[in-house]
Short mmCIF file of all heavy atoms in Angstrom, two decimals:
data_model
loop_
_atom_site.label_atom_id
_atom_site.label_comp_id
_atom_site.label_asym_id
_atom_site.label_seq_id
_atom_site.Cartn_x
_atom_site.Cartn_y
_atom_site.Cartn_z
N TYR N 144 73.39 121.51 80.10
CA TYR N 144 74.65 121.26 80.69
C TYR N 144 75.12 122.52 81.31
O TYR N 144 74.82 123.72 80.98
CB TYR N 144 75.70 120.81 79.62
CG TYR N 144 75.44 119.43 79.13
CD1 TYR N 144 74.65 119.30 77.87
CD2 TYR N 144 75.91 118.22 79.58
CE1 TYR N 144 74.46 118.03 77.40
CE2 TYR N 144 75.70 117.09 79.11
CZ TYR N 144 74.91 116.96 78.06
OH TYR N 144 74.58 115.61 77.33
N VAL N 145 76.08 122.46 82.31
CA VAL N 145 76.64 123.58 82.88
C VAL N 145 78.24 123.48 82.87
O VAL N 145 78.72 122.42 82.78
CB VAL N 145 76.23 123.85 84.35
CG1 VAL N 145 74.71 124.17 84.33
CG2 VAL N 145 76.42 122.46 85.19
N GLY N 146 78.94 124.72 83.03
CA GLY N 146 80.42 124.75 83.05
C GLY N 146 80.75 126.08 83.61
O GLY N 146 79.93 126.78 84.20
N VAL N 147 82.07 126.26 83.39
CA VAL N 147 82.60 127.51 83.82
C VAL N 147 83.41 128.31 82.72
O VAL N 147 83.63 127.60 81.70
CB VAL N 147 83.47 127.35 85.13
CG1 VAL N 147 82.62 126.94 86.29
CG2 VAL N 147 84.65 126.39 84.78
N ALA N 148 83.78 129.48 82.91
CA ALA N 148 84.53 130.15 81.88
C ALA N 148 85.57 131.01 82.65
O ALA N 148 85.31 131.56 83.78
CB ALA N 148 83.68 131.05 80.97
N ASN N 149 86.66 131.13 82.09
CA ASN N 149 87.83 131.92 82.63
C ASN N 149 88.29 131.55 84.05
O ASN N 149 88.62 132.41 84.99
CB ASN N 149 87.51 133.35 82.64
CG ASN N 149 86.99 133.95 81.26
OD1 ASN N 149 87.71 133.57 80.25
ND2 ASN N 149 85.85 134.64 81.13
N HIS N 150 88.15 130.25 84.41
CA HIS N 150 88.59 129.71 85.71
C HIS N 150 89.95 129.12 85.33
O HIS N 150 89.99 128.42 84.28
CB HIS N 150 87.58 128.66 86.14
CG HIS N 150 86.36 129.14 86.80
ND1 HIS N 150 85.60 130.13 86.29
CD2 HIS N 150 85.72 128.77 87.92
CE1 HIS N 150 84.52 130.43 87.00
NE2 HIS N 150 84.53 129.67 88.08
N ASN N 151 90.81 129.33 86.40
CA ASN N 151 92.04 128.63 86.13
C ASN N 151 92.05 127.11 86.49
O ASN N 151 90.92 126.63 86.77
CB ASN N 151 93.29 129.28 86.94
CG ASN N 151 93.06 129.29 88.33
OD1 ASN N 151 92.41 128.43 88.98
ND2 ASN N 151 93.50 130.27 89.09
N GLY N 152 93.03 126.30 86.54
CA GLY N 152 92.96 124.90 86.76
C GLY N 152 92.42 124.50 88.04
O GLY N 152 91.60 123.70 88.24
N TRP N 153 93.04 125.14 89.20
CA TRP N 153 92.48 124.78 90.43
C TRP N 153 91.08 125.14 90.77
O TRP N 153 90.42 124.39 91.35
CB TRP N 153 93.55 125.32 91.48
CG TRP N 153 93.36 126.76 91.95
CD1 TRP N 153 94.16 127.89 91.56
CD2 TRP N 153 92.37 127.34 92.86
NE1 TRP N 153 93.72 129.03 92.12
CE2 TRP N 153 92.51 128.62 92.85
CE3 TRP N 153 91.29 126.79 93.67
CZ2 TRP N 153 91.85 129.62 93.71
CZ3 TRP N 153 90.61 127.64 94.38
CH2 TRP N 153 90.90 128.88 94.39
N GLN N 154 90.72 126.30 90.25
CA GLN N 154 89.34 126.65 90.49
C GLN N 154 88.37 125.84 89.71
O GLN N 154 87.29 125.36 90.29
CB GLN N 154 89.15 128.15 89.92
CG GLN N 154 89.93 129.25 90.71
CD GLN N 154 89.94 130.61 90.00
OE1 GLN N 154 89.79 130.74 88.84
NE2 GLN N 154 90.28 131.55 90.72
N THR N 155 88.70 125.40 88.48
CA THR N 155 87.89 124.47 87.76
C THR N 155 87.80 123.08 88.42
O THR N 155 86.76 122.49 88.65
CB THR N 155 88.27 124.28 86.31
OG1 THR N 155 88.51 125.67 85.74
CG2 THR N 155 87.32 123.57 85.48
N ALA N 156 88.97 122.64 88.84
CA ALA N 156 89.10 121.37 89.64
C ALA N 156 88.28 121.39 90.89
O ALA N 156 87.47 120.39 91.27
CB ALA N 156 90.57 121.09 89.84
N TYR N 157 88.32 122.49 91.61
CA TYR N 157 87.59 122.66 92.76
C TYR N 157 86.03 122.56 92.57
O TYR N 157 85.32 121.71 93.31
CB TYR N 157 87.91 123.99 93.53
CG TYR N 157 87.23 124.19 94.74
CD1 TYR N 157 87.66 123.64 95.87
CD2 TYR N 157 86.11 124.98 94.85
CE1 TYR N 157 87.01 123.78 97.11
CE2 TYR N 157 85.36 125.19 95.97
CZ TYR N 157 85.86 124.63 97.26
OH TYR N 157 85.17 124.93 98.39
N VAL N 158 85.47 123.38 91.64
CA VAL N 158 84.04 123.31 91.54
C VAL N 158 83.58 122.03 90.82
O VAL N 158 82.63 121.47 91.12
CB VAL N 158 83.61 124.53 90.65
CG1 VAL N 158 83.79 125.78 91.34
CG2 VAL N 158 84.18 124.54 89.20
N HIS N 159 84.44 121.47 89.93
CA HIS N 159 84.07 120.19 89.37
C HIS N 159 84.00 119.01 90.56
O HIS N 159 83.14 118.30 90.59
CB HIS N 159 85.28 119.75 88.33
CG HIS N 159 84.99 118.49 87.74
ND1 HIS N 159 85.22 117.23 88.28
CD2 HIS N 159 84.45 118.21 86.43
CE1 HIS N 159 84.94 116.26 87.48
NE2 HIS N 159 84.48 116.85 86.29
N THR N 160 85.07 119.09 91.35
CA THR N 160 85.05 118.02 92.49
C THR N 160 83.83 118.38 93.36
O THR N 160 83.26 117.37 93.93
CB THR N 160 86.44 117.98 93.22
OG1 THR N 160 87.42 117.82 92.23
CG2 THR N 160 86.46 117.05 94.26
N ARG N 161 83.66 119.46 93.84
CA ARG N 161 82.53 119.84 94.72
C ARG N 161 81.23 119.44 94.15
O ARG N 161 80.42 118.85 94.75
CB ARG N 161 82.54 121.28 95.15
CG ARG N 161 83.76 121.82 96.06
CD ARG N 161 83.65 121.17 97.39
NE ARG N 161 82.39 121.37 98.06
CZ ARG N 161 82.45 122.40 98.94
NH1 ARG N 161 83.42 123.19 99.09
NH2 ARG N 161 81.30 122.55 99.65
N GLN N 162 81.02 119.69 92.96
CA GLN N 162 79.73 119.30 92.32
C GLN N 162 79.73 117.84 92.18
O GLN N 162 78.66 117.18 92.38
CB GLN N 162 79.65 119.91 90.81
CG GLN N 162 78.34 119.88 90.20
CD GLN N 162 77.32 120.95 90.79
OE1 GLN N 162 77.25 121.15 92.02
NE2 GLN N 162 76.55 121.50 90.04
N ALA N 163 80.77 117.04 91.90
CA ALA N 163 80.64 115.66 91.98
C ALA N 163 80.34 115.07 93.34
O ALA N 163 79.69 114.10 93.55
CB ALA N 163 82.03 115.11 91.38
N MET N 164 80.90 115.69 94.34
CA MET N 164 80.62 115.27 95.66
C MET N 164 79.21 115.47 96.20
O MET N 164 78.67 114.67 96.92
CB MET N 164 81.51 115.95 96.83
CG MET N 164 83.06 115.55 96.63
SD MET N 164 84.09 116.68 97.48
CE MET N 164 83.53 116.38 99.27
N ARG N 165 78.47 116.39 95.46
CA ARG N 165 77.19 116.70 95.77
C ARG N 165 76.28 115.54 95.13
O ARG N 165 75.14 115.54 95.43
CB ARG N 165 76.73 118.14 95.22
CG ARG N 165 77.29 119.30 96.09
CD ARG N 165 77.25 120.53 95.21
NE ARG N 165 76.00 120.86 94.54
CZ ARG N 165 74.99 121.36 95.26
NH1 ARG N 165 75.12 121.90 96.44
NH2 ARG N 165 73.80 121.66 94.62
N GLU N 166 76.98 114.73 94.13
CA GLU N 166 76.11 113.71 93.55
C GLU N 166 74.86 114.28 92.92
O GLU N 166 73.74 113.86 92.92
CB GLU N 166 75.77 112.54 94.51
CG GLU N 166 76.95 111.94 95.06
CD GLU N 166 76.60 110.85 96.04
OE1 GLU N 166 75.36 110.61 96.28
OE2 GLU N 166 77.37 109.99 96.35
N THR N 167 75.02 115.43 92.10
CA THR N 167 73.95 116.10 91.40
C THR N 167 73.99 115.67 89.90
O THR N 167 74.90 114.86 89.50
CB THR N 167 74.13 117.62 91.36
OG1 THR N 167 75.19 117.91 90.45
CG2 THR N 167 74.47 118.25 92.82
N GLY N 168 72.89 115.98 89.31
CA GLY N 168 72.78 115.70 87.71
C GLY N 168 73.30 116.84 86.99
O GLY N 168 72.91 116.95 85.82
N ALA N 169 74.13 117.62 87.66
CA ALA N 169 74.54 118.90 86.84
C ALA N 169 76.12 118.92 87.01
O ALA N 169 76.67 119.84 87.53
CB ALA N 169 73.95 120.09 87.34
N PRO N 170 76.94 118.01 86.40
CA PRO N 170 78.36 117.93 86.59
C PRO N 170 78.98 119.15 85.72
O PRO N 170 78.34 119.67 84.74
CB PRO N 170 78.72 116.61 85.96
CG PRO N 170 77.72 116.33 85.05
CD PRO N 170 76.42 116.83 85.65
N ILE N 171 80.18 119.64 86.20
CA ILE N 171 80.87 120.64 85.34
C ILE N 171 81.51 119.93 84.19
O ILE N 171 82.47 119.24 84.31
CB ILE N 171 81.98 121.41 86.22
CG1 ILE N 171 81.37 121.78 87.55
CG2 ILE N 171 82.66 122.34 85.42
CD1 ILE N 171 80.35 123.02 87.28
N VAL N 172 81.02 120.35 83.00
CA VAL N 172 81.42 119.48 81.81
C VAL N 172 82.51 120.42 81.01
O VAL N 172 83.09 119.88 80.01
CB VAL N 172 80.33 119.17 80.84
CG1 VAL N 172 79.26 118.30 81.63
CG2 VAL N 172 79.67 120.33 80.21
N ALA N 173 82.78 121.76 81.21
CA ALA N 173 83.56 122.43 80.32
C ALA N 173 84.16 123.65 81.13
O ALA N 173 83.50 124.27 82.09
CB ALA N 173 82.77 123.10 79.12
N ASP N 174 85.27 124.13 80.66
CA ASP N 174 85.80 125.49 81.09
C ASP N 174 86.22 126.09 79.78
O ASP N 174 86.98 125.58 78.94
CB ASP N 174 87.14 125.21 81.92
CG ASP N 174 87.60 126.39 82.54
OD1 ASP N 174 87.10 127.54 82.25
OD2 ASP N 174 88.73 126.50 83.07
N GLN N 175 85.61 127.44 79.57
CA GLN N 175 85.99 128.07 78.36
C GLN N 175 87.10 129.14 78.73
O GLN N 175 86.81 129.99 79.53
CB GLN N 175 84.65 128.87 77.90
CG GLN N 175 84.84 129.54 76.61
CD GLN N 175 83.70 130.31 76.15
OE1 GLN N 175 83.66 131.57 76.17
NE2 GLN N 175 82.64 129.50 75.89
N VAL N 176 88.22 128.98 78.10
CA VAL N 176 89.31 129.90 78.48
C VAL N 176 90.09 130.41 77.26
O VAL N 176 89.94 129.82 76.23
CB VAL N 176 90.36 129.03 79.27
CG1 VAL N 176 89.80 128.62 80.68
CG2 VAL N 176 90.86 127.90 78.56
N GLU N 177 90.77 131.55 77.48
CA GLU N 177 91.48 132.03 76.27
C GLU N 177 92.66 131.00 76.03
O GLU N 177 93.42 130.68 76.98
CB GLU N 177 91.95 133.35 76.56
CG GLU N 177 92.75 134.00 75.36
CD GLU N 177 93.24 135.46 75.56
OE1 GLU N 177 93.09 135.99 76.60
OE2 GLU N 177 93.66 135.98 74.49
N TYR N 178 92.86 130.72 74.77
CA TYR N 178 93.92 129.78 74.35
C TYR N 178 94.19 129.84 73.00
O TYR N 178 93.36 129.84 72.16
CB TYR N 178 93.45 128.21 74.76
CG TYR N 178 94.51 127.13 74.57
CD1 TYR N 178 95.78 127.45 74.71
CD2 TYR N 178 94.12 125.90 74.39
CE1 TYR N 178 96.79 126.47 74.53
CE2 TYR N 178 94.98 124.78 74.22
CZ TYR N 178 96.32 125.13 74.35
OH TYR N 178 97.29 124.10 74.10
N SER N 179 95.48 130.08 72.66
CA SER N 179 95.90 130.21 71.21
C SER N 179 97.45 130.11 71.21
O SER N 179 98.12 129.94 72.28
CB SER N 179 95.52 131.60 70.62
OG SER N 179 96.26 132.59 71.28
N LEU N 180 98.02 130.26 70.12
CA LEU N 180 99.49 130.17 70.03
C LEU N 180 100.25 131.36 70.69
O LEU N 180 101.40 131.29 71.05
CB LEU N 180 99.89 130.10 68.46
CG LEU N 180 99.99 128.68 67.91
CD1 LEU N 180 99.90 128.85 66.38
CD2 LEU N 180 101.16 127.97 68.32
N VAL N 181 99.45 132.56 70.96
CA VAL N 181 100.00 133.63 71.62
C VAL N 181 99.73 133.65 73.05
O VAL N 181 100.07 134.66 73.85
CB VAL N 181 99.73 135.12 70.94
CG1 VAL N 181 100.49 134.97 69.59
CG2 VAL N 181 98.26 135.17 70.72
N ASN N 182 98.90 132.72 73.50
CA ASN N 182 98.49 132.64 74.92
C ASN N 182 98.26 131.16 75.29
O ASN N 182 97.18 130.55 75.11
CB ASN N 182 97.19 133.40 75.24
CG ASN N 182 96.93 133.54 76.74
OD1 ASN N 182 97.38 132.59 77.54
ND2 ASN N 182 96.22 134.58 77.09
N ARG N 183 99.37 130.41 75.78
CA ARG N 183 99.30 129.10 76.21
C ARG N 183 99.29 128.83 77.66
O ARG N 183 99.44 127.80 78.18
CB ARG N 183 100.45 128.32 75.52
CG ARG N 183 100.51 128.42 73.91
CD ARG N 183 101.69 127.83 73.35
NE ARG N 183 101.85 126.41 73.72
CZ ARG N 183 103.01 125.70 73.36
NH1 ARG N 183 103.90 126.22 72.70
NH2 ARG N 183 103.00 124.48 73.85
N THR N 184 98.77 129.85 78.36
CA THR N 184 98.75 129.68 79.87
C THR N 184 97.84 128.53 80.28
O THR N 184 98.01 128.10 81.32
CB THR N 184 98.35 131.01 80.51
OG1 THR N 184 97.11 131.41 80.04
CG2 THR N 184 99.42 132.09 80.22
N ALA N 185 96.80 128.26 79.55
CA ALA N 185 95.90 127.18 79.89
C ALA N 185 96.64 125.79 79.91
O ALA N 185 96.10 124.98 80.67
CB ALA N 185 94.76 127.12 78.85
N GLU N 186 97.70 125.66 79.37
CA GLU N 186 98.45 124.46 79.35
C GLU N 186 99.06 124.02 80.69
O GLU N 186 99.47 123.02 81.02
CB GLU N 186 99.64 124.35 78.25
CG GLU N 186 98.99 124.53 76.92
CD GLU N 186 100.07 124.45 75.83
OE1 GLU N 186 101.19 124.49 76.16
OE2 GLU N 186 99.71 124.49 74.61
#
Side-chain angles (χ1 to χ4, degrees):
Y144 294 89
V145 291
V147 295
N149 304 315
H150 284 47
N151 63 30
W153 77 260
Q154 291 166 347
T155 311
Y157 180 82
V158 296
H159 182 282
T160 303
R161 289 297 298 270
Q162 195 73 317
M164 290 171 62
R165 288 161 50 88
E166 297 183 349
T167 72
I171 303 298
V172 304
D174 188 2
Q175 185 181 115
V176 294
E177 183 172 10
Y178 185 26
S179 72
L180 274 163
V181 292
N182 187 336
R183 294 176 60 185
T184 55
E186 294 177 1

